[in-house]
Amino acid sequence: MFSININYGLNDSNIVRIINFCLLKLEFNNQNKKITNLNTFYSFLYSISRDENNIKDKEEFFYRIEKILLKKYHKHDIWKVIVILIPLSRLCNVDIGYLIGTNIIKLSKKYNLETERDIYNILNLATQKLKVTDNDYEIDKLSDLIVTCILLVLELSSFNGRKEFDLNCSENTILIWLTGYGNYLKYDNKISSCMEIINCGYKYDEIMDKLFLILKVVYDIEVENYKDINEEFNWERISEEIFLRIL
């Protein structure tokens, strides 16, 4: 019987079990026997979801997994929930627009995240905590929370003007968040100031690995394809592309 220890929320081992269970039920288990790294799991689930031969009549299975995830997550897990559910929804023929809209609202309202300022305040506090901690578990949790913040700003921007949210987001808002995350040394804004606080290579690299995965799974953007003539990532172009996709 499939179960998850609720005391640990969506830790890495539970997520691996969830994805393995999904792959088993969707009959992809034989292709995935040797995959143990969590990011590889995410990427594999994403890659098979792009196959045009999506599995039919799996809506009930999808909603079962969705229910499990929405019960077990903590605030810092929100990005993981979305990164699992989006490719899974493709495999199960569940409307992705509906998925993103309803779940982002559910996940955000649980923690009273209704404005861009709410999300920025969490980011600011998380980066300050990350700077001073050497605990591996806390580093993972805080880096998860930091990437959750940018995902929420990007996704909730599509709800701007609705009564549920007052983000006051614009193309410039998305530009500030993405450039601040992507290259805090080049850009000078409130988000780059937060990221600069971390001031530690491996902690920042962990955040960027997760951000690259989010951009790939949620927006079909391969960041490696957005380099300028100096071989630096062009975060302004990435921002423009995302803004067009969330309109």
Side-chain angles (χ1 to χ4, degrees), residues 188-203:
D188 182 17
N189 56 52
K190 66 179 184 179
I191 305 303
S192 62
S193 296
C194 288
M195 301 306 291
E196 191 171 12
I197 290 172
I198 300 169
N199 194 27
C200 181
Y202 77 93
K203 295 178 184 177

Side-chain angles (χ1 to χ4, degrees), residues 227-240:
K227 288 185 176 180
D228 58 24
I229 57 175
N230 298 317
E231 288 298 301
E232 293 183 351
F233 296 123
N234 190 329
W235 290 99
E236 294 177 38
R237 278 187 58 212
I238 295 170
S239 173
E240 292 171 2

Side-chain angles (χ1 to χ4, degrees), residues 35-48:
I35 298 177
T36 56
N37 177 270
L38 187 56
N39 278 3
T40 307
F41 267 112
Y42 286 134
S43 296
F44 180 78
L45 186 59
Y46 168 77
S47 66
I48 62 176

Side-chain angles (χ1 to χ4, degrees), residues 39 79 123 126-131 138-151 177-178 180-182 184 191 194-215 223 235:
N39 278 3
W79 80 273
L123 172 68
T127 53
Q128 292 181 49
K129 287 182 177 179
L130 184 57
K131 177 183 178 180
E138 286 299 315
I139 289 171
D140 286 342
K141 188 169 73 172
L142 288 167
S143 65
D144 283 338
L145 182 56
I146 289 168
V147 294
T148 285
C149 286
I150 191 168
L151 177 62
W177 276 77
L178 274 172
Y181 268 73
Y184 65 84
I191 305 303
C194 288
M195 301 306 291
E196 191 171 12
I197 290 172
I198 300 169
N199 194 27
C200 181
Y202 77 93
K203 295 178 184 177
Y204 180 72
D205 289 346
E206 181 170 333
I207 291 167
M208 294 308 293
D209 286 344
K210 294 172 182 177
L211 176 60
F212 279 34
L213 182 63
I214 287 171
L215 295 178
V223 179
W235 290 99

Side-chain angles (χ1 to χ4, degrees), residues 29-237:
N29 55 309
N30 290 333
Q31 301 178 42
N32 201 44
K33 284 181 178 178
K34 296 183 179 180
I35 298 177
T36 56
N37 177 270
L38 187 56
N39 278 3
T40 307
F41 267 112
Y42 286 134
S43 296
F44 180 78
L45 186 59
Y46 168 77
S47 66
I48 62 176
S49 76
R50 306 310 298 168
D51 190 332
E52 292 183 0
N53 297 317
N54 287 341
I55 296 172
K56 308 299 181 183
D57 302 321
K58 295 291 184 178
E59 291 89 348
E60 184 177 346
F61 169 71
F62 169 82
Y63 289 118
R64 179 184 174 194
I65 298 299
E66 179 192 39
K67 185 177 180 180
I68 290 170
L69 292 173
L70 293 179
K71 280 186 176 180
K72 308 298 183 183
Y73 79 96
H74 299 292
K75 181 165 54 182
H76 58 274
D77 295 320
I78 291 176
W79 80 273
K80 299 176 185 177
V81 174
I82 299 302
V83 167
I84 293 173
L85 288 181
I86 286 180
L88 187 61
S89 72
R90 292 182 180 130
L91 284 168
C92 298
N93 296 321
V94 174
D95 182 77
I96 297 175
Y98 171 80
L99 161 72
I100 294 177
T102 57
N103 281 324
I104 284 291
I105 289 175
K106 288 177 186 176
L107 299 174
S108 303
K109 289 182 77 67
K110 176 178 176 180
Y111 292 101
N112 297 315
L113 301 176
E114 299 185 0
T115 69
E116 190 260 356
R117 171 60 62 176
D118 294 335
I119 301 170
Y120 168 76
N121 288 340
I122 289 176
L123 172 68
N124 190 28
L125 181 60
T127 53
Q128 292 181 49
K129 287 182 177 179
L130 184 57
K131 177 183 178 180
V132 299
T133 185
D134 292 320
N135 179 281
D136 289 341
Y137 172 74
E138 286 299 315
I139 289 171
D140 286 342
K141 188 169 73 172
L142 288 167
S143 65
D144 283 338
L145 182 56
I146 289 168
V147 294
T148 285
C149 286
I150 191 168
L151 177 62
L152 290 179
V153 165
L154 296 176
E155 281 304 308
L156 292 177
S157 295
S158 62
F159 293 91
N160 193 32
R162 299 192 184 188
K163 64 180 180 179
E164 295 96 339
F165 296 99
D166 183 24
L167 284 176
N168 194 27
C169 280
S170 63
E171 185 172 4
N172 188 57
T173 305
I174 293 173
L175 176 65
I176 289 171
W177 276 77
L178 274 172
T179 55
Y181 268 73
N183 194 333
Y184 65 84
L185 294 175
K186 179 178 179 180
Y187 297 94
D188 182 17
N189 56 52
K190 66 179 184 179
I191 305 303
S192 62
S193 296
C194 288
M195 301 306 291
E196 191 171 12
I197 290 172
I198 300 169
N199 194 27
C200 181
Y202 77 93
K203 295 178 184 177
Y204 180 72
D205 289 346
E206 181 170 333
I207 291 167
M208 294 308 293
D209 286 344
K210 294 172 182 177
L211 176 60
F212 279 34
L213 182 63
I214 287 171
L215 295 178
K216 176 181 179 180
V217 173
V218 180
Y219 303 104
D220 287 325
I221 288 178
E222 293 277 2
V223 179
E224 293 289 340
N225 296 333
Y226 288 82
K227 288 185 176 180
D228 58 24
I229 57 175
N230 298 317
E231 288 298 301
E232 293 183 351
F233 296 123
N234 190 329
W235 290 99
E236 294 177 38
R237 278 187 58 212

